[in-house]
Amino acid sequence: MDTNLALVLLLTPFLGFLINIFFGKSLGKSVSGIIGTLSIVASFAVAISFFLQINQTQKPISIELFDWIQISKFHVSFGFLLDQLSILWLLFVTGIGSLIHLYSISYMHDDENMHKFFAYLNLFIFFMISLVVGSNLLVMFIGWEGVGLCSYLLIGFWHKNQEYNDAAKKAFIMNRIGDLGLLIGIFILGNMFSTLDFASLKTAIEGTKNLDTYWLSIAALALFIGACGKSAQIPLYTWLPDAMAGPTPVSALIHAATMVTAGIFMVTRMHFLFDLTPEIQTIIAVIGGVTSLVAATIGLVQTDIKKVLAYSTVSQLGLMFLALGFGAYEVAVFHVITHAFFKACLFLGSGSVIHGLHGEQDMRKMGGLKKAMPITFWTMLIASLAISGVPVFSGFFSKDEILMTAFHHNIPLWVVGSVASIMTAFYMFRLMFLTFFKDFRGTEEQKHHLHESPALITFPLIVLAILAAIGGLISLPTDSWLNGYLGPLFSQAAHEEHALGTTEYMLMGIAVIGGLVGIGIAYAKYISKHEIPAEDSEITGVSKVLYNKYYIDELYDAIFVAPINSLSKLFRDYVETGISSVVFGFGKVTSELSLQGKKLQNGSVGLYLFAFVLGLCAIISYLFLAQ
Amino acid sequence: MNNILTQIGIENYIFLCVTLFCVGIFGVLYRRNAIIVFMSIEIMLNAVNLLFVAFSTYHQDTQGQVFVFFSMAVAAAEVAVGLAILVSIFRNIGSISIDNLKNLKG
């Protein structure tokens, strides 16, 4: 029964993909959209039924389909592990996935390749599900690579634009760099413990005495590099903002709710490994904190509405890693969930704005959309309040828990996280004020066509806004349902409840005031003083450095891309020329020889006879000389 | 060894045969008339036949003489075919110079 359900869960999106890719064009746009959406909704329903079951029994469901690899001691089976963690992930992957599919029916309706878009989306969800439910690292790796492939396909969906193709390639290659780390980690673990199964790895790591901590740390670091690639952490974060080239639903799905959280998922999954390597945990926390701050500073000055959100995602993911670094897995998972709600809402809202403005993404050319797009405005406002950490909204609870954890472990990182949070509040409200308040700054024609988006777009927005508002309820500071639910997974050491004392209230106060200060600065700057960000050419000083993202891309270009380019040029111009001249040389010599040989065969009997006699003489003299 | 060989000596036969063979070879190489070439080939064959017979006698063994019959039969067959070809070439191009046979090249 469970096996069948799990197969339904996994295979309906794949079925949707098959139908859409092969018959989508003939079925028509609406039908392919509906098929795509329904297949995810079916998965969502199954995920809910699993959730209800596991919430009651508290026992993980383990399903083994077949033996996959069997080499002497080493054994990998193809199976699923449905425990609290994977089902939680499933719920929001398929749940938010369904909403985004629904949204895409309307958003992509003018695109001629809509069936392809839905096929890719379905395939993406299929791989995401296999990433989440895999019972061992290899099955997870299939999903891991699969979502990488699908993100490439989706980011480059509008492949007629070369810039978009480059963005897709960048995302793909950056992810591959991280994947190399992940693979190395998998190999080390497989070599050390002869198994890749999560459950047996856990028993093996926890049961073995005199563990080789050196290799264990390297494995943990390698796995974390994989997580860095997927979750866009320093130094592998530059792909995510560029990935905004894809259609907006893709940004919402991949870059808010699913793929980028895979790194968090993997680290949480392998928590038993990271728990034993405190030095790697420190690295994770530092990288997370620094990423969060760096991305937030870049977010301060971006003018592209989706880029602001992209940097905000990088920054929020940094906060999650900050929590992971302190072993506070539940807290990170909590933030993943609330982040999925409000960031998906924000992305879809920005999509609605872009839709309303016929493709305009520059916030300098927006403004005053509040009246024309009330639903978009209110939903985005709620999500912005949530991400800024204003009390009552979901982001407040999750972010506060992260900062609190940081405070208890490492004060400098707490400061970094808090500053990043204040910046978040600032740039989110900068986005809101520039987009929805004051007068419209676009063209007359755009102004004429301003309208609220259709119901298929606003409905997911409303649902996500509600979730963003109340999502915090799943883990209230004193009465955390989430901590109880995830409790069986983690060892008690990692499990810490913060009793609410004076310090905690003070921290909470600082966080709230910080958030409000951020909003206040944005208000003073963009509403009271009515400032509009300068044109690209007029940006100077620090802003210019920030606007150009610290020139990190240029740095990577100089360090990695340029040398590789010149190296490949060298190989092309000299080494390849050398090799091909040798290869073609053989051909030329043969053909020249045969041309000369052809002349011998000229039909002159005299010559033949002469050759015959000469041969005869040669043979005879050889025979004599040989004696 | 009470035969002619004891009086003349086998080496004289060998010298004669080599000379004949070389005459044949030079005939083949220098003459342009196809019939003369044929004749030269016959000389070469006969030089070898003579050698066969001489050695056969020398060894008191008839095998060599049997081989001579074989090679004579083959040579006769060869000449029959070759002459027929030459006749038909002569009818077509009015000459039997082997230089003209180049035209037969595919």
Side-chain angles (χ1 to χ4, degrees), chain A residues 571-585:
Chain A
F571 276 118
R572 188 194 63 193
D573 288 351
Y574 297 103
V575 178
E576 198 189 337
T577 324
I579 293 175
S580 49
S581 59
V582 168
V583 173
F584 288 122

mmCIF file of all heavy atoms in Angstrom, chain A residues 571-585:
data_model
loop_
_atom_site.group_PDB
_atom_site.id
_atom_site.type_symbol
_atom_site.label_atom_id
_atom_site.label_comp_id
_atom_site.label_asym_id
_atom_site.label_seq_id
_atom_site.Cartn_x
_atom_site.Cartn_y
_atom_site.Cartn_z
ATOM 1 N N PHE A 571 45.502 25.575 -26.652
ATOM 2 C CA PHE A 571 45.320 24.189 -27.102
ATOM 3 C C PHE A 571 44.753 24.147 -28.504
ATOM 4 O O PHE A 571 45.160 23.347 -29.329
ATOM 5 C CB PHE A 571 44.409 23.436 -26.136
ATOM 6 C CG PHE A 571 45.142 22.894 -24.951
ATOM 7 C CD1 PHE A 571 44.846 23.306 -23.672
ATOM 8 C CD2 PHE A 571 46.144 21.965 -25.124
ATOM 9 C CE1 PHE A 571 45.533 22.810 -22.590
ATOM 10 C CE2 PHE A 571 46.842 21.455 -24.053
ATOM 11 C CZ PHE A 571 46.539 21.886 -22.784
ATOM 12 N N ARG A 572 43.788 25.055 -28.754
ATOM 13 C CA ARG A 572 43.164 25.043 -30.069
ATOM 14 C C ARG A 572 44.173 25.421 -31.134
ATOM 15 O O ARG A 572 44.278 24.772 -32.177
ATOM 16 C CB ARG A 572 41.987 26.018 -30.087
ATOM 17 C CG ARG A 572 41.167 25.925 -31.346
ATOM 18 C CD ARG A 572 40.238 27.109 -31.477
ATOM 19 N NE ARG A 572 40.984 28.353 -31.594
ATOM 20 C CZ ARG A 572 40.437 29.553 -31.474
ATOM 21 N NH1 ARG A 572 39.163 29.659 -31.192
ATOM 22 N NH2 ARG A 572 41.163 30.642 -31.614
ATOM 23 N N ASP A 573 44.950 26.492 -30.858
ATOM 24 C CA ASP A 573 45.817 27.023 -31.905
ATOM 25 C C ASP A 573 47.052 26.178 -32.144
ATOM 26 O O ASP A 573 47.515 26.071 -33.270
ATOM 27 C CB ASP A 573 46.238 28.443 -31.550
ATOM 28 C CG ASP A 573 45.074 29.392 -31.697
ATOM 29 O OD1 ASP A 573 44.047 28.943 -32.228
ATOM 30 O OD2 ASP A 573 45.184 30.554 -31.265
ATOM 31 N N TYR A 574 47.600 25.608 -31.067
ATOM 32 C CA TYR A 574 48.864 24.895 -31.249
ATOM 33 C C TYR A 574 48.716 23.387 -31.108
ATOM 34 O O TYR A 574 49.045 22.641 -32.013
ATOM 35 C CB TYR A 574 49.897 25.434 -30.268
ATOM 36 C CG TYR A 574 50.191 26.877 -30.531
ATOM 37 C CD1 TYR A 574 49.670 27.869 -29.736
ATOM 38 C CD2 TYR A 574 50.954 27.245 -31.640
ATOM 39 C CE1 TYR A 574 49.905 29.202 -30.015
ATOM 40 C CE2 TYR A 574 51.203 28.573 -31.932
ATOM 41 C CZ TYR A 574 50.677 29.553 -31.110
ATOM 42 O OH TYR A 574 50.905 30.861 -31.400
ATOM 43 N N VAL A 575 48.199 22.947 -29.966
ATOM 44 C CA VAL A 575 48.151 21.505 -29.736
ATOM 45 C C VAL A 575 47.236 20.823 -30.739
ATOM 46 O O VAL A 575 47.596 19.833 -31.370
ATOM 47 C CB VAL A 575 47.687 21.218 -28.299
ATOM 48 C CG1 VAL A 575 47.593 19.725 -28.087
ATOM 49 C CG2 VAL A 575 48.642 21.837 -27.305
ATOM 50 N N GLU A 576 46.051 21.416 -30.938
ATOM 51 C CA GLU A 576 45.134 20.756 -31.859
ATOM 52 C C GLU A 576 45.670 20.814 -33.284
ATOM 53 O O GLU A 576 45.552 19.856 -34.044
ATOM 54 C CB GLU A 576 43.744 21.392 -31.779
ATOM 55 C CG GLU A 576 42.702 20.464 -32.362
ATOM 56 C CD GLU A 576 41.365 21.138 -32.497
ATOM 57 O OE1 GLU A 576 41.121 22.112 -31.776
ATOM 58 O OE2 GLU A 576 40.570 20.668 -33.318
ATOM 59 N N THR A 577 46.272 21.952 -33.629
ATOM 60 C CA THR A 577 46.852 22.042 -34.965
ATOM 61 C C THR A 577 47.920 20.972 -35.147
ATOM 62 O O THR A 577 47.997 20.335 -36.203
ATOM 63 C CB THR A 577 47.500 23.428 -35.159
ATOM 64 O OG1 THR A 577 46.714 24.388 -34.485
ATOM 65 C CG2 THR A 577 47.615 23.766 -36.609
ATOM 66 N N GLY A 578 48.752 20.793 -34.106
ATOM 67 C CA GLY A 578 49.786 19.771 -34.181
ATOM 68 C C GLY A 578 49.199 18.394 -34.396
ATOM 69 O O GLY A 578 49.587 17.673 -35.319
ATOM 70 N N ILE A 579 48.222 18.062 -33.549
ATOM 71 C CA ILE A 579 47.628 16.726 -33.640
ATOM 72 C C ILE A 579 46.990 16.530 -34.996
ATOM 73 O O ILE A 579 47.192 15.513 -35.664
ATOM 74 C CB ILE A 579 46.585 16.529 -32.520
ATOM 75 C CG1 ILE A 579 47.281 16.501 -31.169
ATOM 76 C CG2 ILE A 579 45.797 15.235 -32.748
ATOM 77 C CD1 ILE A 579 46.345 16.434 -30.010
ATOM 78 N N SER A 580 46.263 17.529 -35.461
ATOM 79 C CA SER A 580 45.566 17.304 -36.724
ATOM 80 C C SER A 580 46.553 17.268 -37.873
ATOM 81 O O SER A 580 46.322 16.551 -38.846
ATOM 82 C CB SER A 580 44.490 18.355 -36.960
ATOM 83 O OG SER A 580 45.009 19.626 -36.755
ATOM 84 N N SER A 581 47.682 17.985 -37.759
ATOM 85 C CA SER A 581 48.617 17.884 -38.887
ATOM 86 C C SER A 581 49.230 16.487 -38.933
ATOM 87 O O SER A 581 49.466 15.964 -40.016
ATOM 88 C CB SER A 581 49.705 18.956 -38.789
ATOM 89 O OG SER A 581 50.409 18.796 -37.588
ATOM 90 N N VAL A 582 49.449 15.865 -37.752
ATOM 91 C CA VAL A 582 49.953 14.491 -37.761
ATOM 92 C C VAL A 582 48.925 13.563 -38.397
ATOM 93 O O VAL A 582 49.219 12.771 -39.293
ATOM 94 C CB VAL A 582 50.277 14.023 -36.326
ATOM 95 C CG1 VAL A 582 50.517 12.514 -36.311
ATOM 96 C CG2 VAL A 582 51.495 14.748 -35.805
ATOM 97 N N VAL A 583 47.663 13.710 -37.935
ATOM 98 C CA VAL A 583 46.621 12.809 -38.435
ATOM 99 C C VAL A 583 46.403 13.001 -39.928
ATOM 100 O O VAL A 583 46.396 12.042 -40.706
ATOM 101 C CB VAL A 583 45.312 13.057 -37.665
ATOM 102 C CG1 VAL A 583 44.191 12.259 -38.295
ATOM 103 C CG2 VAL A 583 45.492 12.702 -36.216
ATOM 104 N N PHE A 584 46.260 14.297 -40.314
ATOM 105 C CA PHE A 584 46.052 14.537 -41.737
ATOM 106 C C PHE A 584 47.295 14.187 -42.530
ATOM 107 O O PHE A 584 47.211 13.805 -43.693
ATOM 108 C CB PHE A 584 45.653 15.986 -41.976
ATOM 109 C CG PHE A 584 44.256 16.273 -41.513
ATOM 110 C CD1 PHE A 584 43.998 17.251 -40.565
ATOM 111 C CD2 PHE A 584 43.195 15.545 -42.015
ATOM 112 C CE1 PHE A 584 42.723 17.510 -40.130
ATOM 113 C CE2 PHE A 584 41.917 15.795 -41.577
ATOM 114 C CZ PHE A 584 41.668 16.770 -40.644
ATOM 115 N N GLY A 585 48.484 14.323 -41.885
ATOM 116 C CA GLY A 585 49.721 13.965 -42.553
ATOM 117 C C GLY A 585 49.731 12.517 -42.995
ATOM 118 O O GLY A 585 50.070 12.217 -44.141
#
